[in-house]
Amino acid sequence: MARTEISTMGEFGLIKHLTKDLKPLQPSTKKAVGDDCAVMSFGAKRVLMTTDMLLEGIHFNLEYVPLKHLGYKAAVVNFSDIYAMNGTPTQITVGLGISKRFSVEDIEALYDGIKLACERYNVDLVGGDTCASMTGLTISITCLGVANEKDIVYRNGAKINDLICVSGNLGTAYMGLQLLERERLANAEQPDFAGKEYLLERQLKPEARRDILESLRKAGVKPTAMMDVSDGLSSELLHICSQSNVGCCIYEDKLPIDYEAAALAEEMNLNIVTCALNGGEDYELLFTCSLDDYEKLIPVEDLYIIGHITKPEYGCNLIGRNGEELPLKAQGWNAFEN
Amino acid sequence: MARTEISTMGEFGLIKHLTKDLKPLQPSTKKAVGDDCAVMSFGAKRVLMTTDMLLEGIHFNLEYVPLKHLGYKAAVVNFSDIYAMNGTPTQITVGLGISKRFSVEDIEALYDGIKLACERYNVDLVGGDTCASMTGLTISITCLGVANEKDIVYRNGAKINDLICVSGNLGTAYMGLQLLERERLANAEQPDFAGKEYLLERQLKPEARRDILESLRKAGVKPTAMMDVSDGLSSELLHICSQSNVGCCIYEDKLPIDYEAAALAEEMNLNIVTCALNGGEDYELLFTCSLDDYEKLIPVEDLYIIGHITKPEYGCNLIGRNGEELPLKAQGWNAFEN
């Protein structure tokens, strides 16, 4: 593969090179890259804004994450935050810190992933900042989105007796990471991922659940509170309950678990329920909705009712398979500890 | 000074701690920190968006930059980009990557600077992402702003015979950096900055020229093209000329130079004109406007006419004190070299 040193292009050359084929997709984009700011026109819509930073050695390991997948994921996790408010992502800006280890081709691959995600989700890349870094790769993406005021779903709207629902499955992205890590440590020339492609995809190339929002809209269900599952189900549920001033009760046997993930967990001596509660990075939608919507939810595909909202005094609990009550804890990965 | 390990608070604790006293200043801010996204309502206004990433060892050296100043500057440079479109900054999000070297007090100091800048410029901090870093400090700020469509000034509107104007002075921030670097290398216990406080302030705590835009509005002048001077006058002028498809002619003896900066340049054997052309980080406003506005510009304080726009065939040139013509070059700091 060709290797062009970034120094031969310079910062402006690199940005121009990376953004030359971008075409605005959103009517609200009035001016994209090439000025001090992007310019958007949103009419009477609400504007949503979210930002995520990804750092090499913390959020990703380039030994097993291809740059194109990394770019795709970096964009999608931001879209997921906008969907988690029941909004539509519309524009992103991309900040990159790049060390000399990376060539223009490397950064192109990263951008290809970002652009692919933008195309698939109908989002415009409207600007950014690209600079040299002393140490590895840093990616910071900020995403704007729109929503009608009445459609926005916050974290603080859960009501007593509401149903708790989650899309897809949980703990799968975490098991994908365990698999990648195991093969890396085994240092095999040809890592053996046969039959486990789905786990890898959940970790390396997650999707945001726009389809679930569409299904809910069609079914006539508006969630009362919603988040995406990025830090793990326990952590997110505790956020919803604390902000809504309620408690919750979820059932171990209702948690959606992928069978490949369960098999690998067994093989690696991990408790798949713990992985589902605390694994993180699933980017599924977790929401609450009125008990009155129960009938409407049944036909929605890939959606699971895992429990219900309670009085705050009850606390936040998991009911185990034998009926035992276990308090939920935010064991979400605390990167500031060791 | 107390030192609280960030690990004792965790990510959510730290964010809560840092943002607990934030009160929205902008009527357009409907929901600030605490959900997946911030929510803004802009009515019929245009929305501007800009982002900047600052990396330790590249953009700042904590040996001589106090964290509070760093936070202030990181915010102000984004505001400056919004002003450079003739807009008003309204919201920022802050992404931080923090290594274990930093304590909660350190990050508080950084946030204090960001919050002070927000207060002074009437901007809301509406969200962000805080995460651990393996290596030093990374700051990524994204800023939104608003403007009426008719007021926005792009880079591509400069017309032949337009005047070229710049606010404040040029090369001063660069000389401030040279001074800091000299004292650091001298390793003096008490660095000698007496009489040079202004140079330090220009480097460590720059301001965005909101006041110049107000003066222009009062004077009834709308620039035809505008940028802020972050990479150096030459580099910015070349951007305006290439995007407007024009040439330019500026005069060495018209460049606004601070006398302290000139004296230090002399002392350090640097050419102050080169510093003014290529130094960068001045965050002054550079703009073009119609020759018809000449009379209106005269009474505007702290504003200097440095040349005029020409036909594209003429190229982009500096006329030296002896009448010699020198082509402008974008010698803006290319951090990907060396």
Side-chain angles (χ1 to χ4, degrees):
Chain A
M1 194 181 181
R3 179 178 169 96
T4 313
E5 295 303 327
I6 290 170
S7 59
T8 61
M9 287 196 169
E11 183 192 335
F12 299 122
L14 181 63
I15 294 171
K16 210 164 181 175
H17 178 71
L18 293 171
T19 58
K20 64 180 185 294
D21 55 350
L22 290 174
K23 298 264 180 303
L25 304 168
Q26 290 283 344
S28 55
T29 306
K30 296 299 173 191
K31 175 88 187 181
V33 285
D35 216 303
D36 295 290
C37 298
V39 179
M40 272 82 66
S41 165
F42 287 117
K45 292 267 189 173
R46 286 283 184 267
V47 181
L48 309 171
M49 182 183 196
T50 184
T51 194
D52 262 302
M53 187 178 268
L54 299 176
L55 298 166
E56 186 173 354
I58 300 283
H59 300 96
F60 57 88
N61 183 335
L62 291 175
E63 283 183 67
Y64 49 67
V65 179
L67 282 160
K68 186 171 176 180
H69 285 193
L70 181 62
Y72 191 87
K73 180 170 175 175
V76 165
V77 301
N78 277 282
F79 304 161
S80 183
D81 272 327
I82 302 280
Y83 290 125
M85 304 283 287
N86 205 22
T88 303
T90 49
Q91 286 89 8
I92 57 167
T93 56
V94 177
L96 290 183
I98 313 166
S99 78
K100 280 188 215 169
R101 183 155 54 88
F102 297 91
S103 68
V104 171
E105 289 76 13
D106 292 334
I107 306 305
E108 274 175 346
L110 182 76
Y111 249 72
D112 281 347
I114 296 172
K115 288 175 187 169
L116 180 62
C118 284
E119 269 170 46
R120 291 224 180 133
Y121 288 86
N122 204 32
V123 169
D124 291 330
L125 199 173
V126 295
D129 188 21
T130 303
C131 50
S133 144
M134 300 290 277
T135 51
L137 184 63
T138 302
I139 307 170
S140 173
I141 296 191
T142 300
C143 185
L144 288 191
V146 292
N148 294 312
E149 186 178 6
K150 66 174 178 50
D151 295 332
I152 299 179
V153 178
Y154 295 94
R155 294 179 182 176
N156 62 5
K159 301 275 179 298
I160 295 164
N161 293 329
D162 275 1
L163 298 169
I164 302 172
C165 306
V166 72
S167 63
N169 51 56
L170 297 172
T172 320
Y174 182 79
M175 288 316 301
L177 183 63
Q178 298 310 307
L179 180 63
L180 284 163
E181 191 62 22
R182 183 176 76 173
E183 297 297 313
R184 184 180 72 86
L185 294 174
N187 215 354
E189 286 226 356
Q190 279 292 25
D192 181 17
F193 295 137
K196 302 192 175 66
E197 292 80 3
Y198 177 64
L199 304 185
L200 293 185
E201 197 174 306
R202 287 301 300 260
Q203 171 57 227
L204 295 176
K205 198 161 165 293
E207 299 292 344
R209 300 308 303 263
R210 158 173 66 169
D211 58 325
I212 294 291
L213 295 183
E214 280 163 17
S215 301
L216 290 177
R217 230 165 277 152
K218 278 185 199 154
V221 175
K222 186 191 167 190
T224 51
M226 185 158 55
M227 288 184 74
D228 67 335
V229 183
S230 52
D231 291 330
L233 179 67
S234 289
S235 170
E236 318 301 12
L237 256 180
L238 289 169
H239 279 300
I240 286 181
C241 289
S242 112
Q243 294 201 23
S244 301
N245 192 30
V246 293
C248 73
C249 175
I250 59 171
Y251 298 88
E252 182 182 336
D253 62 357
K254 304 282 187 194
L255 297 180
I257 308 276
D258 174 71
Y259 69 93
E260 275 181 30
L264 181 64
E266 176 110 5
E267 200 182 313
M268 293 181 78
N269 259 326
L270 292 166
N271 181 336
I272 188 67
V273 174
T274 308
C275 299
L277 290 172
N278 302 313
E281 294 205 281
D282 286 313
Y283 301 105
E284 296 295 346
L285 287 173
L286 167 71
F287 64 90
T288 57
C289 66
S290 167
L291 190 54
D292 300 341
D293 289 328
Y294 179 78
E295 296 290 334
K296 295 181 192 163
L297 286 175
I298 300 304
V300 177
E301 277 183 44
D302 211 21
L303 193 68
Y304 307 90
I305 300 174
I306 61 170
H308 58 270
I309 294 295
T310 63
K311 289 183 186 171
E313 311 77 278
Y314 175 74
C316 296
N317 295 288
L318 173 77
I319 309 297
R321 286 185 193 275
N322 304 316
E324 71 278 23
E325 215 172 81
L326 301 160
L328 291 177
K329 281 182 193 156
Q331 292 176 329
W333 180 62
N334 184 341
F336 291 109
E337 282 168 11
N338 300 308
Chain B
M1 193 178 178
R3 181 180 166 95
T4 312
E5 296 303 327
I6 290 170
S7 59
T8 63
M9 287 196 169
E11 183 193 333
F12 298 122
L14 180 63
I15 294 172
K16 210 165 181 173
H17 178 70
L18 293 172
T19 57
K20 63 180 185 295
D21 56 350
L22 290 174
K23 297 265 181 303
L25 305 168
Q26 290 283 344
S28 55
T29 305
K30 296 298 173 192
K31 174 89 187 181
V33 285
D35 217 302
D36 296 290
C37 298
V39 179
M40 272 82 65
S41 165
F42 287 115
K45 293 265 190 176
R46 286 283 184 267
V47 180
L48 309 172
M49 183 183 196
T50 183
T51 194
D52 262 302
M53 187 178 267
L54 298 176
L55 299 165
E56 186 174 355
I58 300 284
H59 300 96
F60 56 89
N61 184 335
L62 291 174
E63 281 183 67
Y64 49 67
V65 179
L67 282 160
K68 186 171 176 180
H69 285 192
L70 180 62
Y72 191 88
K73 181 170 174 174
V76 166
V77 301
N78 277 281
F79 305 160
S80 183
D81 271 327
I82 302 281
Y83 290 124
M85 303 283 288
N86 205 22
T88 303
T90 49
Q91 286 90 8
I92 57 168
T93 55
V94 177
L96 289 182
I98 313 166
S99 78
K100 280 189 213 170
R101 184 155 53 89
F102 297 91
S103 69
V104 171
E105 289 75 14
D106 291 334
I107 306 304
E108 275 175 345
L110 182 76
Y111 249 71
D112 281 347
I114 295 173
K115 289 174 186 168
L116 181 62
C118 284
E119 269 169 47
R120 292 223 179 133
Y121 288 86
N122 204 32
V123 169
D124 291 330
L125 199 173
V126 294
D129 189 22
T130 303
C131 49
S133 143
M134 300 290 277
T135 50
L137 184 63
T138 302
I139 308 170
S140 173
I141 296 190
T142 300
C143 185
L144 289 191
V146 292
N148 294 313
E149 186 178 6
K150 66 174 179 48
D151 294 333
I152 299 179
V153 179
Y154 295 95
R155 294 179 181 176
N156 63 6
K159 301 274 179 299
I160 294 164
N161 293 329
D162 276 2
L163 297 168
I164 301 172
C165 306
V166 72
S167 64
N169 51 55
L170 297 172
T172 320
Y174 181 79
M175 288 315 302
L177 183 63
Q178 298 310 307
L179 180 63
L180 285 163
E181 192 62 22
R182 183 177 76 174
E183 296 298 313
R184 185 180 72 86
L185 293 174
N187 216 354
E189 286 226 354
Q190 279 293 27
D192 181 18
F193 295 136
K196 303 193 175 67
E197 294 80 3
Y198 177 64
L199 305 184
L200 293 184
E201 199 175 307
R202 288 299 301 259
Q203 171 57 227
L204 296 176
K205 198 161 166 292
E207 299 292 344
R209 300 308 304 263
R210 160 173 64 169
D211 58 327
I212 294 291
L213 294 183
E214 281 163 17
S215 301
L216 290 177
R217 231 166 278 152
K218 278 184 201 155
V221 174
K222 186 191 167 190
T224 50
M226 186 156 56
M227 287 184 75
D228 67 335
V229 183
S230 52
D231 291 329
L233 179 67
S234 290
S235 169
E236 318 302 12
L237 256 180
L238 289 169
H239 279 300
I240 287 181
C241 289
S242 108
Q243 294 201 22
S244 302
N245 193 28
V246 293
C248 73
C249 175
I250 60 171
Y251 298 87
E252 182 182 338
D253 62 358
K254 303 283 186 193
L255 296 179
I257 307 276
D258 174 71
Y259 69 93
E260 276 181 28
L264 181 64
E266 176 109 8
E267 200 182 315
M268 294 180 79
N269 259 326
L270 292 166
N271 181 337
I272 188 68
V273 175
T274 308
C275 299
L277 290 172
N278 303 314
E281 294 205 280
D282 285 312
Y283 301 105
E284 296 294 347
L285 287 173
L286 168 71
F287 65 89
T288 57
C289 66
S290 166
L291 189 55
D292 299 341
D293 288 329
Y294 179 78
E295 294 291 334
K296 296 181 191 163
L297 287 175
I298 300 303
V300 178
E301 278 184 41
D302 211 21
L303 193 67
Y304 306 91
I305 301 174
I306 60 170
H308 58 272
I309 295 294
T310 63
K311 290 184 186 171
E313 307 84 274
Y314 175 74
C316 296
N317 295 288
L318 173 78
I319 309 297
R321 287 184 195 276
N322 303 318
E324 70 279 23
E325 214 173 84
L326 301 160
L328 290 178
K329 281 181 194 159
Q331 292 176 329
W333 181 61
N334 185 342
F336 291 111
E337 280 170 9
N338 303 309

